[in-house]
Each structure stands twice: as C-alpha cells, then as structure tokens.
Amino acid sequence: DYIFSKTAQRPKIAIVCGSGLGGITGILKDPELISYKDIPNFPISSVPGHAGKLVFGKLGNKDVVCMSGRVHAYEGQPLWKVTFAMRVFDSMGIKVVILTNAAGGVGEKTKEGDLIILKDHINLPGLCGFNPLVGLNDERFGARFQETTVCYDKELRDIALKMAKDCKMDFVCEGVYIYQVGPTFESPSEVKFLKLIGGDMVGMSTVPEVVVARHRGMRCLGISLITNKCIDVFDSNKKPNHEEVLELSKQRSCELQKLISKIVDAISLEQASACGI
Ligand SMILES: O=P(O)(O)O[C@@H]1C[C@H](O)[C@@H](CO)O1
C-alpha cells in the first residue's frame, strides 16, 4: 500500500540488481524512486554496490521496477527478510522477476566478463536446512512442499539466449549457479568440490529469492556476471575481493543493460497471464 501510494506505475516485471549492477536504473524513462528506508519493514543492504532504492520507470516499451540493492544472508538477516522483496513484488502484481548477480566462475567454460543465464541452481545451504520456506506455512501464500524442477523459466531463458545471439554477444551462455551463504569466498578445496558437483558459477544471493518467487508462481530469469575466476590451486597469490567484483561489474554493466532491455522488450506478458499466474 505504501509503495502504491507513492507511484501510479504498475509494472509487471521486476529486475533485481546484483553487486555494482544498478546502472540499469539510469536508463529508465520517467524514473520514480522510493528509498528502502521509507518502505515499512523493507530490509536495507549494508554492502557497497547495493544502493537501497526501488526505481520505477519505462524500459523500452514496458514498465518495470528495479531493485537497486539487495540484502544477503551473510549480512546477518534472516532468510524471510532476505526474500521479503519477493513477497512485496507478488502483492504488487509482478509476474516476471529478472535477477542478476555477480558470481565467481567455477567451471572451465566460464571466464571473467561472461554473462551466464541460470539454467538451474544448487541450493547448498537449502539442502542443509537453511531454506527461506522453513517454518510454518500459510497455504494462502504457497504450497507446503515447493517443487523446484524448473526454477528458471524456459521461455525466458530461450528469449535471453536468442537476444544475445541477435546482438552477437558471444560471451553469453547457460550454466548452473551454486548458492553459498558467504561472506567468505571459496577455499581451493571448496572450488574443486563445487566443480565436482556440477556448478559453473558460485555466488551469495539469488537462490533464496528465486525459491520464494517460485513459491508464489512468479516466472524467474537469472543472469550471472562472472566477475572473477574461483581459485582452485593451493598457495595462490591471486585472491578474490569485492573491489575487483565491483570493477568488473562496472566494465560489463552496459552489455548487461543492453541484454536486459532486449529481453524485457521481447517478453510477452499476455503469455505470462495465459500460464495462469
Ligand atoms: O548481490 P550479488 O550476488 O551480486 O553479490 C555478490 C555476492 C557478494 O555479495 C558480493 C561478493 O563480492 O557480490
């Protein structure tokens, strides 16, 4: 109610901006800003590169809302708060959520600067009991036992790959994202393990949000920017750090903005409602 009292825009598409990836808010037409701190109960990120505002506006031919800044579990917030925005989006009538993140490249096929469309994820903490749907369930807001067979909408993934091909972006492909809580980057042995279990990239966000968005039937598309290669050799002098993550995000933000704009243009919202969501 608070959000709708501040803007007359009623978007059906939400975009979650990962670390340093909030630049897309700068290309929206007729932007309207709402600070997280003004929205009742909305969690505020403490991480550099996560601004803390909702930005409404037009991207190409469609209304969207961008979440510039997200909260992570490693900031000490419970998962219901980490995923609170998904519940808010659902009650606003959002049908499609595009989630971006910065991630470390695990597999051989990823390199710095690549944009990887999430085909699936491995919710490592979720498998060990750290899942946003743990707790009493209110059936009005989703099923007790949520299936996660196709978390990342096939049609949206196909659109993303087609748009990348049309734009000759040969650094875009699909991959599997592994969620780990952080804030530690991975040790070499952990990287070897992540590779072994089928991950292409690893990060500290997105999956809890997707689990909750799917609980409410919203269609999800995930895009990882590979900001660094994970180090799987012992005694390396090279060490991952948040500054290099932000630097790479800055370098690649134009390509990501272009890809998202094309995807948003190509999304058919009629199809979204024809799916019964
Ligand atoms: O919000 P995202 O997943 O883009 O942020 C990544 C994960 C950590 O928060 C941070 C590490 O540099 O970037």
Side-chain angles (χ1 to χ4, degrees):
D1 287 356
Y2 175 83
I3 293 171
F4 279 178
S5 76
K6 295 288 164 195
T7 175
Q9 300 189 40
R10 299 289 181 265
K12 297 279 176 253
I13 300 175
I15 301 168
V16 180
C17 304
S19 282
L21 297 171
I24 195 158
T25 58
I27 62 167
L28 300 188
K29 270 186 275 156
D30 309 322
E32 287 183 279
L33 262 71
I34 306 178
S35 278
Y36 295 171
K37 64 176 170 39
D38 296 328
I39 307 171
N41 302 316
F42 213 86
I44 296 167
S45 177
S46 60
V47 184
H50 289 267
K53 57 192 180 190
L54 286 184
V55 186
F56 291 77
K58 248 195 176 8
L59 186 60
N61 60 9
K62 293 202 182 64
D63 291 334
V64 299
V65 56
C66 291
M67 206 177 132
S68 182
R70 63 151 63 91
V71 170
H72 308 81
Y74 65 75
E75 294 174 70
Q77 303 276 10
L79 284 181
W80 72 265
K81 271 197 167 183
V82 169
T83 57
F84 184 72
M86 299 302 119
R87 301 282 178 196
V88 172
F89 286 161
D90 174 54
S91 58
M92 285 166 53
I94 295 291
K95 301 295 178 204
V96 170
V97 189
I98 300 175
L99 303 104
T100 66
N101 60 62
V106 171
E108 304 305 334
K109 79 174 189 196
T110 55
K111 53 183 188 316
E112 282 174 16
D114 284 352
L115 293 174
I116 316 281
I117 310 298
L118 275 68
K119 186 178 191 161
D120 196 9
H121 64 228
I122 297 177
N123 186 358
L124 267 188
L127 293 174
C128 307
F130 192 65
N131 185 307
L133 301 183
V134 166
L136 288 177
N137 189 60
D138 185 334
E139 291 281 335
R140 288 172 304 166
F141 298 104
R144 168 72 289 183
F145 298 104
Q146 174 63 34
E147 60 78 29
T148 56
T149 316
V150 187
C151 283
Y152 303 90
D153 190 276
K154 173 82 170 97
E155 194 180 304
L156 296 178
R157 278 156 45 207
D158 286 347
I159 289 175
L161 292 173
K162 178 174 184 318
M163 293 303 133
K165 199 168 166 208
D166 288 354
C167 296
K168 302 197 181 349
M169 293 181 169
D170 60 357
F171 47 84
V172 179
C173 66
E174 280 191 324
V176 175
Y177 176 96
I178 300 184
Y179 171 54
Q180 67 108 332
V181 172
T184 44
F185 288 105
E186 303 69 32
S187 73
S189 300
E190 286 165 349
V191 176
K192 288 179 205 285
F193 165 69
L194 298 178
K195 221 185 260 190
L196 209 63
I197 63 172
D200 295 302
M201 60 267 188
V202 57
M204 306 175 195
S205 70
T206 304
V207 171
E209 293 153 320
V210 167
V211 167
V212 171
R214 292 302 304 141
H215 197 226
R216 293 303 299 131
M218 291 186 278
R219 299 167 71 197
C220 295
L221 176 71
I223 308 177
S224 288
L225 167 64
I226 304 300
T227 52
N228 56 288
K229 279 296 284 182
C230 292
I231 293 155
D232 65 353
V233 293
F234 300 118
D235 304 316
S236 170
N237 288 326
K238 202 170 168 341
K239 300 178 196 322
N241 60 77
H242 190 56
E243 289 66 40
E244 99 181 316
V245 169
L246 292 181
E247 177 54 35
L248 217 294
S249 297
K250 201 161 95 188
Q251 285 174 28
R252 268 294 194 223
S253 73
C254 281
E255 278 84 357
L256 182 60
Q257 284 165 31
K258 184 171 166 189
L259 182 60
I260 293 178
S261 304
K262 297 264 177 205
I263 294 169
V264 166
D265 261 346
I267 290 176
S268 160
L269 288 167
E270 285 69 44
Q271 262 158 332
S273 45
C275 298
I277 51 176

